[in-house]
């Protein structure tokens, strides 16, 4: 399998190089040159498989030419062996139509672990025995940071610099990052910044050719294709349990950077019968505006109790626009340059119509988020986190036919957002025992102004030139 950039002018790469590269040299994002297609029989054959076996079957076409089936199985066994639930990502029924897919049983209690546990092992495999060293730079609104740090702490050949917006992540999220004291881990709290500012800085560092090659930059955000590839698996895993390929299944996805829901789009492109992908946003609703009215214009980021979705520039939307626009890299590059200059863009007719065929969208405000948390608790004794609640609120009012199962992705453990959960439900979720002492651990991080100069100087001081 080879990978091509959405902006059409970067070299194509194989799976190893695309994993280590992150952003493409032309500023675009990598995608497979073509989508592998599964037949109805191949999808039916996934029934009853373990999560690891499903992961191997779904991801094998994407790693072809780089990893053997046995290698992939070995990596998946290690990655998912660290999850605290035997099913890895269990399905929980809420009512006759609604289900939760619990993606938060990994080491850092959010869906990010599903991809980042594997990505950490892929980095190790690709770097061991080579003289190559990489500098991972990442931006986080809370969950990617902790999952990446857990996956990469102490690994040889990798330095990690993780940028989070100061004061805009929950205390548990911050401590999950800043209490990991390892020589290769560097946490940076950006002053007066949003996640979008942090993400823009990361992209600016990649686009600075001199800096990027001097420090061999690499990415763990969902701009890295391998992140999305690993997330495609759970759409297959859930859908076959609920009747696919005979019965289409819908998914409601709490969305920020459009990575998780783009993985659902990939699953549909591969042949999984997906009835609908509901893009659920909080009041930071650029994606809802884009999908419902074609208006992709950046608003001011408003802090909310679902901080991981406080995003107004959604990186992976570019991948969708590229695929829906006929994979014309030059046209997409032009469209993205317009957005970068004006902070606004209109979707083309082809992009709007293509998206409407599969995606729905909804914007869920604070009251409806709290109502969804209360409903899950009162109707089925499920304590859910604010991000999951946004997905569930959108799922319940999407108006899908009653015979279509609707799976809301439960993206984080409620204990990561204890205050918001307690306010809505009166229940204070306890931290799982393995991180029960998190609030007592020593923290270490740097506070920096959110400028390119300050951040690159800090990294240059601490990362070795490659
Ligand atoms: C808990 C949680 N839910 C939902 C999201 C949104 O996912 P995505 O950015 O892939 O759209 C995030 C962050 O990415 C998250 O951390
Ligand atoms: N919600 C994310 C934001 C980064 O998204 P990513 O999926 O692109 O890594 C976070 O928790 O950091």
């Amino acid at each position: 399998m080879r990978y091509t950039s959405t902006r059409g002018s970067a070299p194509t790469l194989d799976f190893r190089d695309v994993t280590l590269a992150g952003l493409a040299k032309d500023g675009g994002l990598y995608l497979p040159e073509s989508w592998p297609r599964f037949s109805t029989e191949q999808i039916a054959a996934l029934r009853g498989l373990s999560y690891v076996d499903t992961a191997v079957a779904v991801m094998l076409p994407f790693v072809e030419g780089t990893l053997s089936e046995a290698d992939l199985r070995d990596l998946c066994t290690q990655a998912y062996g660290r999850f605290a639930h035997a099913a890895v990502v269990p399905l929980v029924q809420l009512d006759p139509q609604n289900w939760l897919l619990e993606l938060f049983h990994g080491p850092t209690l959010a869906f990010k672990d599903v991809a980042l546990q594997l990505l950490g092992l892929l980095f190790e495999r690709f770097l061991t025995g080579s003289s190559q060293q990489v500098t991972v730079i990442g931006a986080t609104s809370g969950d990617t940071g902790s999952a990446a740090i857990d996956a990469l702490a102490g690994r040889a050949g990798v330095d990690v610099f993780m940028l989070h917006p100061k004061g805009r992540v929950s205390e548990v999220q911050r401590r999950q990052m800043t209490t990991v004291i390892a020589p290769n881990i560097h946490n940076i709290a950006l002053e007066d910044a949003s996640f979008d500012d942090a993400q823009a800085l990361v992209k600016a560092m990649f686009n600075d050719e001199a800096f990027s090659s001097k420090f061999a930059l690499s990415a763990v955000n969902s701009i890295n294709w391998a992140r999305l590839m690993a997330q495609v698996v759970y759409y297959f895993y859930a859908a076959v349990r609920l009747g696919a390929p005979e019965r289409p299944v819908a998914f409601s996805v709490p969305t920020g950077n459009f990575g998780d829901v783009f993985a659902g789009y990939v699953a549909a492109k591969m042949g999984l019968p997906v009835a609908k992908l509901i893009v659920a946003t909080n009041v930071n609703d650029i994606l809802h505006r884009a999908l419902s009215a074609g208006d992709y214009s950046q608003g001011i980021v408003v802090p909310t109790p679902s901080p991981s979705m406080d995003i107004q520039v959604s990186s992976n939307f570019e991948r969708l626009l590229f695929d829906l626009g006929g994979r014309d890299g030059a046209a997409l590059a032009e469209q993205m340059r317009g957005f970068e200059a004006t902070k606004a863009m209109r979707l083309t007719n082809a992009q709007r119509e293509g998206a409407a065929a599969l995606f729905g969208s909804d914007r869920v405000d604070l009251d409806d988020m709290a109502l969804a948390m209360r409903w899950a608790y009162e109707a089925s004794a499920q304590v859910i986190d604010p991000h999951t609640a946004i997905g569930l609120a959108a799922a319940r009012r999407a108006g899908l036919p009653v015979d279509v199962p609707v799976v809301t992705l439960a993206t984080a453990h409620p204990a990561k957002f204890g205050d918001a959960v307690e306010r809505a439900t009166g229940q204070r979720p306890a931290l799982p025992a393995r991180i029960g002492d998190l609030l007592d651990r020593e923290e270490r991080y740097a506070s920096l102004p959110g400028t390119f100069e300050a951040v690159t100087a800090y990294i240059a001081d601490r990362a070795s030139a490659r």
Side-chain angles (χ1 to χ4, degrees):
M1 174 65 80
R2 293 199 68 80
Y3 291 86
T4 188
S5 164
T6 50
R7 301 202 187 175
S9 55
T12 64
L13 300 178
D14 65 10
F15 179 70
R16 176 191 184 278
D17 290 344
V18 88
T19 301
L20 294 176
L23 206 63
K25 292 265 182 252
D26 58 5
L29 298 158
Y30 277 107
L31 275 183
E33 273 188 337
S34 62
W35 299 116
R37 262 321 267 188
F38 281 26
S39 66
T40 304
E41 292 72 30
Q42 283 173 301
I43 296 171
L46 299 175
R47 266 192 215 121
L49 294 191
S50 68
Y51 193 79
V52 167
D53 287 341
T54 310
V56 173
V58 171
M59 291 192 284
L60 196 56
F62 295 113
V63 304
E64 195 206 321
T66 300
L67 293 176
S68 69
E69 183 170 345
D71 289 340
L72 181 60
R73 183 176 309 283
D74 178 44
L75 295 173
C76 291
T77 305
Q78 286 183 61
Y80 302 121
R82 291 197 66 203
F83 279 57
H85 197 289
V88 182
V89 294
L91 269 169
V92 174
Q93 187 161 20
L94 297 177
D95 71 7
Q97 182 168 35
N98 285 286
W99 299 75
L100 293 177
L101 182 64
E102 292 186 350
L103 300 172
F104 53 72
H105 294 282
T108 68
L109 312 179
F111 78 100
K112 311 284 181 170
D113 289 321
V114 177
L116 280 159
Q117 285 297 312
L118 182 66
L119 188 62
L121 294 167
L122 287 169
F123 270 99
E124 182 175 73
R125 183 177 176 99
F126 295 151
L127 294 173
T128 302
S130 88
S131 54
Q132 206 176 344
Q133 298 264 319
V134 296
T135 306
V136 163
I137 50 170
T140 184
S141 52
D143 292 325
T144 292
S146 46
I149 287 169
D150 182 275
L152 293 173
R155 288 206 195 275
V158 189
D159 283 322
V160 180
F161 292 85
M162 188 53 65
L163 280 51
H164 72 267
K166 189 168 186 174
R168 294 204 188 190
V169 300
S170 79
E171 184 180 9
V172 171
Q173 287 180 311
R174 189 192 71 241
R175 285 178 163 275
Q176 282 182 305
M177 297 188 277
T178 58
T179 61
V180 178
I181 313 291
N184 69 329
I185 301 297
H186 308 272
N187 278 291
I188 301 173
L190 292 180
E191 293 155 5
D192 301 318
S194 66
F195 168 78
D196 286 353
D197 299 323
Q199 180 163 247
L201 275 173
V202 166
K203 287 188 175 169
M205 287 185 260
F206 270 99
N207 289 331
D208 183 323
E209 179 55 35
F211 187 80
S212 172
S213 28
K214 181 169 180 191
F215 294 104
L217 296 190
S218 199
V220 286
N221 280 107
S222 54
I223 55 177
N224 187 321
W225 162 257
R227 281 274 314 274
L228 302 190
M229 173 189 76
Q231 292 172 218
V232 175
V233 174
Y234 47 70
Y235 287 90
F236 277 91
Y237 185 77
V240 295
R241 270 159 188 74
L242 295 176
E246 288 80 13
R247 183 157 76 149
V249 175
F251 292 88
S252 181
V253 187
T255 303
N257 224 3
F258 206 75
D260 212 5
V261 74
F262 188 78
Y265 172 79
V266 175
K269 295 301 278 186
M270 291 171 72
L272 189 72
V274 176
K276 190 61 90 186
L277 288 172
I278 302 162
V279 173
T281 74
N282 63 22
V283 294
N284 297 293
D285 63 351
I286 183 168
L287 288 167
H288 173 54
R289 284 183 282 112
L291 291 165
S292 58
D295 164 29
Y296 189 80
S297 56
Q298 186 178 355
I300 303 286
V301 180
V302 178
T304 74
S306 48
S308 305
M309 290 159 57
D310 293 346
I311 297 177
Q312 288 277 27
V313 179
S314 298
S315 283
N316 291 287
F317 202 52
E318 172 166 348
R319 285 186 161 116
L320 181 72
L321 297 181
F322 173 70
D323 208 45
L324 293 176
R327 292 194 158 223
D328 179 343
L332 201 269
E334 188 60 36
Q335 197 177 10
M336 293 311 298
R337 269 195 295 275
F339 174 71
E340 281 151 14
T342 62
K343 307 290 175 216
M345 111 184 136
R346 299 290 310 170
L347 270 54
T348 65
N349 285 344
Q351 289 165 340
R352 280 192 75 175
E353 284 158 20
L358 184 61
F359 292 92
S361 68
D362 200 351
R363 169 196 199 268
V364 176
D365 66 17
L366 292 185
D367 289 344
D368 289 341
M369 176 200 75
L371 276 176
M373 279 198 259
R374 275 201 287 283
W375 179 78
Y377 185 64
E378 283 159 14
S380 36
Q382 293 295 316
V383 179
I384 61 173
D385 97 288
H387 305 79
T388 306
I390 285 168
L392 183 59
R396 292 188 67 227
R397 64 192 188 199
L400 288 161
V402 289
D403 58 337
V404 174
V406 186
V407 178
T408 295
L409 301 193
T411 48
H413 191 291
K416 290 191 103 161
F417 307 96
D419 293 343
V421 173
E422 189 171 16
R423 265 197 308 276
T425 64
Q427 303 300 311
R428 178 102 197 160
L431 281 173
R434 61 187 187 281
I435 57 164
D437 66 345
L438 186 70
L439 301 187
D440 303 322
R441 294 182 194 166
E442 178 201 350
E443 287 192 84
R444 202 176 292 172
Y445 62 94
S447 282
L448 295 181
T451 62
F452 184 80
E453 292 69 28
V455 174
T456 50
Y458 184 87
I459 294 174
D461 258 5
R462 285 156 185 83
S464 2
R466 307 304 183 194

